[in-house]
Amino acid sequence: MSYQVNEKGYYGSFGGAFIPEMLFPNVEDLRSRYLTIMESDDFKKEFNSLLRDYVGRPSPLYYASRLSTHHNKEIYLKREDLNHTGAHKINNTLGQILLAKRLGKKRIIAETGAGQHGVAAATVCALMGLECIVYMGEVDIERQAPNVARMKLLGAKVVPALCGSRTLKDATNEAIRDWINNPVETHYIIGSVVGPHPYPDMVARFQSVISEEIRTQLLSKTGKETPDYVIACVGGGSNAAGAFYHFLDEPSVKLIAVEAAGKGIHSGHSAATMVLGKPGIIHGSKTMLMQTEDGQITEPYSISAGLDYPGVGPVHAHLFETGRATFVSATDEEALAAAYLCCRLEGIIPALESAHALAHLDKLKSAPGEIIVLNLSGRGDKDLATYIKHQNL
Amino acid sequence: MNRIEELFKKKRNILSIYFTAGFPELKDTVPVIKTLAQGGADMIEIGIPFSDPLADGPVIQQSSELALKNGMTLSLLFDQLNDIRKETAVSNTSLLLMGYLNPVLQFGIAGFCEKAKACGIDGVIIPDLPLDVYLQEYKELFQKAGIKVVFLVTPQTSDERIRLIDKHSEGFIYLVSSASTTGVKGQISEEQLAYFARIRAMKLSNPVLIGFGIADKAGFNKACEYAEGAIIGSAFVKVLGQRNGLTENIKKFISPLRQEMPL
Ligand SMILES: Cc1ncc(COP(=O)(O)O)c(C=O)c1O
């Protein structure tokens, strides 16, 4: 069984490139060139040196002793929260901007939910001196105000998406429409393992540095390269894809993906795509999708803007279908409780997204001595308002 | 013979009009089709509303949103279209369904083809159905139902790919007039005309209709100099959006388009 994309751009029956003809030349150009560029020495050299000196990689693998004691488990946190800009998103935007430069692009567009991807895109655009336009749902602009300010400081233009649920899905629609209208000099930096092929594979490759580092770090800490569990939260699925990547073909490593259950899976306010969705097409990709019987995409809900997406990357739909990964979910309340616990026990304020992964520690039935690596995808600076509001309740 | 093929055999300066089904009111679908046909539209593209219309500008986006709010669904649309061919005005008009792939997939492609055929639909335009997926998975189903599948060509499409699309197209080729989502962009530019001329010079085996950004008589006439006809979408949907005096508004919109063209 292969968990990688095939030559046609599919993971099993998921993936592909369901795009209007207007996008074909750009997507095809990217498809035919991304691997050659990414595998060239010149690219690798620039990417790796910036990952080290600019992003601050490798991010630490930290044995969380108090959290481990609390849960009576062996818990390591992969500290993506310590990256420059505060999340794993920068691994991908850095890779894509170097690629865009080599494709001769002059203008960058991006979508963002929590604003972490928008900030990471704005950051690398500033670094490379490229114009940056970030689409963001009007609702998210309100709930992630600090990140909006950061993007503007970095020189990006933030354009509100005013249609539909005015969150991540709609911001993505607007970015795609921008690309249709600006097909020549623009590169679209998608923020997760979503979108038409080759995006899911390309983004997963850029994020795969996470699991590459986990292997070496774990070896030096425990004498073993592979943990028993890898846990990550899933919005579109990029941090999970990166954390799983180098363990996909190691059946002994149990992969756990945590979706946002919102106010409860069957409350009508949820973003648990694997439970609530069925195969469909969103943003150019065939994947699991929350939709009505009529095929209309439904509005997801989560307290965390970064998990508020009605689809999921096609690689995850495949991992779900094949049973290679286990998909679970955490509610708003469980995520908040796990975040507060992490603050008090470890002195780490996690992003609300990452808090969903932390919330699963309570439910995980691991055997004594089994090693758990949890991908702490980002830090919680952007979520302070939410944390403060709910703590006072 | 399929009505689309017949139409292109007999006529030039073909006028095709797009509108969103169930807009402005749920019950307006059939009256809009009837009035358009009476007014002289050769072809009507019936839009299946979708929650996330990626290739559409604000006008069609909003019409879709409202149509969905009105309660429009694909199965309801088929119910509405059930007797459309009994309307004498519409008996010869080419009717196409235009919409995004996901609602069609959820309905089931086989069932969709069957229903469309039963309603007398002649063709479909599904912008996010890729040519290769169509050829591998769905071509037989559409052909068996006698439904033409129309593909798009844009200013960025390479000559090689245009030839490929031409080879596999049936009915006509939809020439997207500029790198753009749907909507009105002002006058047709010199650059666009050069692109139209380039496509015309390729002497494709399929007839060509030009769409996106064609809004009025002047644009329509210009397009007809380079292709077999043109498609008007957003400009017409905007008129529907005025609501009051629907029939009159439609007539007023279409009548100048059907006046004799100056030589
Ligand atoms: C910190 C953090 N974690 C996770 C996510 C979810 O995205 P993905 O599933 O692609 O990792 C986001 C998205 O904004 C994020 O900011």
Side-chain angles (χ1 to χ4, degrees), chain A residues 87-89 114 116 191-192 233-239 306-307 351 353-354 377-378 382:
Chain A
H88 66 294
K89 298 282 180 189
Q116 285 306 108
S192 192
C233 68
V234 174
S238 66
N239 87 85
L307 303 182
E353 291 77 16
S354 322
S377 56
K382 68 185 175 59

Side-chain angles (χ1 to χ4, degrees), chain A residues 8 10 17-25 163-164 169-170 172-174 176-178 180-184 278-284 286 289 291-298, chain B residues 49-57 61 65 68 72-75 101-103 105-107 127-130 133 136-138 152-154 156-157 161 165 176 179-181 185 212:
Chain A
K8 289 195 167 141
Y10 284 82
F18 294 83
I19 47 169
E21 192 61 33
M22 295 79 122
L23 290 176
F24 184 85
C163 251
K169 147 179 106 75
D170 312 283
T172 309
N173 289 342
E174 285 305 316
I176 292 175
R177 289 184 187 117
D178 179 309
I180 288 175
N181 283 281
N182 297 283
V184 183
K278 52 188 177 163
I281 289 171
I282 180 168
H283 301 139
K286 188 183 265 184
L289 175 63
Q291 54 187 314
T292 66
E293 234 172 77
D294 186 43
Q296 309 299 335
I297 300 175
T298 47
Chain B
F50 182 48
S51 55
D52 295 77
L54 285 182
D56 285 300
Q61 279 175 47
E65 208 172 327
L68 291 174
M72 188 40 96
T73 64
L74 184 49
S75 50
L101 184 55
N102 198 50
L105 270 188
Q106 300 311 318
F107 194 88
D128 57 344
L129 170 61
V133 174
Q136 273 161 38
E137 295 182 37
Y138 303 128
L152 276 53
V153 155
T154 84
Q156 274 71 40
T157 312
R161 187 162 168 84
I165 290 169
V176 177
S180 167
T181 41
K185 304 276 154 25
F212 281 44

Side-chain angles (χ1 to χ4, degrees), chain A residues 211-287:
Chain A
S211 48
E212 192 183 316
E213 289 174 4
I214 293 174
R215 289 189 77 109
T216 24
Q217 291 168 324
L218 203 62
L219 181 65
S220 77
K221 283 190 195 316
T222 68
K224 253 183 76 181
E225 253 185 285
T226 54
D228 297 290
Y229 291 91
V230 179
I231 306 179
C233 68
V234 174
S238 66
N239 87 85
F244 293 171
Y245 198 90
H246 291 284
F247 301 116
L248 288 171
D249 297 322
E250 307 262 13
S252 70
V253 183
K254 294 176 269 285
L255 307 174
I256 298 184
V258 188
E259 297 190 299
K263 296 181 179 166
I265 287 184
H266 299 293
S267 65
H269 304 276
S270 177
T273 306
M274 294 305 182
V275 187
L276 300 171
K278 52 188 177 163
I281 289 171
I282 180 168
H283 301 139
S285 178
K286 188 183 265 184
T287 186

Side-chain angles (χ1 to χ4, degrees), chain A residues 93-142:
Chain A
T93 58
L94 187 62
Q96 285 203 49
I97 198 104
L98 297 180
L99 203 118
K101 266 194 354 186
R102 285 160 175 81
L103 294 171
K105 304 291 184 178
K106 305 274 185 301
R107 178 175 175 271
I108 299 296
I109 53 173
E111 86 295 338
T112 197
Q116 285 306 108
H117 174 61
V119 167
T123 298
V124 297
C125 285
L127 179 68
M128 296 295 159
L130 294 185
E131 183 187 357
C132 183
I133 295 108
V134 181
Y135 290 91
M136 188 170 189
E138 202 184 26
V139 169
D140 292 337
I141 287 183
E142 276 165 39

